[in-house]
Amino acid sequence: MFAQSLDATVRILLLRAGPQDFPFAKGLTPVLLGLAILANALVFSRVLPPPMALGIAAAMVAAMAMVTRAILRMRNVLNRFQQTFNALLATSAVLTFALLPGFIQLAPQILELAKHPELLDKPDAVHVSGIAVFFMNLVNCWNFSVTAHIFRHDAGVNRWVGMVIAFVAAGVMLFV
C-alpha cells in the first residue's frame, strides 16, 4: 500500500498521473495527515512558537479537506474525495518538506525583519539568499501546478478551470 502510494505520488508530482491513480485505502489517510501536518509545522516552527506552528499546520490541512470536499460536492463527484484528499496530502507533504531547506536559510532574516520593520526602508541592511528565494518560489509554483492538476482531473474540468480552483483553494487555506 505504501509503495503504491509513493509511486502514485511521484507520478502525480511529475504530472504523469492523476488522483484516480492513487491507491484507495482508508488506513493511509491518518499517515498522510500526520505527514502533511508535520511538514507544515516544521516550516512554520522556524518563525513561530511550536504550539502555534502545529495549530496553523492542522488548520491548513483541515481547510484543504473542507475545500476539497466542497469542490467535489459542487461537481457532484464526492465519491472521489478519499483519493483526491490523499493525493493532495501526499504531494503537498513532499513539496512542503522540499521547502524546508530554503526556509531554514530565510527564517533568520524574516525574524529580524519582524523585530525591526524599519529595515525594509534600507535594502542594503537585509541580506537574503536569492537562491533560497528562487528555490522556494519554484517549489511553490510546482505545488500550485500539482494542485491544479489534481483538481482538474477530479472535477473533470479543463486546465484553466483547474488553475482557478487551485487558486481559490489556496486562498481559502491561507485565509483559514
Side-chain angles (χ1 to χ4, degrees):
M1 169 174 66
F2 291 110
Q4 292 171 331
S5 300
L6 182 60
D7 179 58
T9 300
V10 170
R11 291 184 313 135
I12 292 170
L13 285 170
L14 297 174
L15 308 177
R16 300 283 184 221
Q20 68 275 8
D21 300 314
F22 209 84
F24 183 83
K26 288 195 184 263
L28 194 57
T29 304
V31 173
L32 293 174
L33 278 169
L35 282 174
I37 291 172
L38 176 65
N40 283 301
L42 285 174
V43 169
F44 292 131
S45 69
R46 306 309 279 167
V47 293
L48 296 171
M52 186 182 289
L54 189 60
I56 291 172
M60 285 184 67
V61 171
M64 183 190 306
M66 290 186 304
V67 167
T68 303
R69 191 173 213 52
I71 290 167
L72 296 178
R73 182 177 289 150
M74 282 190 288
R75 296 294 297 167
N76 204 22
V77 288
L78 197 53
N79 59 325
R80 299 179 184 173
F81 174 76
Q82 195 67 50
Q83 284 177 295
T84 304
F85 187 55
N86 284 349
L88 286 167
L89 287 172
T91 56
S92 70
V94 168
L95 292 173
T96 304
F97 278 123
L99 278 176
L100 197 53
F103 200 74
I104 287 171
Q105 281 188 331
L106 295 177
Q109 287 85 8
I110 293 170
L111 291 171
E112 188 65 28
L113 285 172
K115 289 179 189 172
H116 306 287
E118 66 275 2
L119 290 176
L120 288 173
D121 294 333
K122 303 171 191 167
D124 295 338
V126 180
H127 302 287
V128 177
S129 167
I131 293 171
V133 171
F134 177 76
F135 175 74
M136 288 181 63
N137 284 333
L138 188 66
V139 172
N140 282 324
C141 287
W142 187 10
N143 194 1
F144 179 80
S145 297
V146 169
T147 302
H149 177 76
I150 290 171
F151 282 129
R152 177 178 74 90
H153 277 275
D154 267 350
V157 296
N158 67 32
R159 184 169 293 149
W160 297 107
V161 175
M163 287 172 47
V164 169
I165 291 170
F167 183 73
V168 169
V172 169
M173 288 189 310
L174 289 174
F175 180 73
V176 168

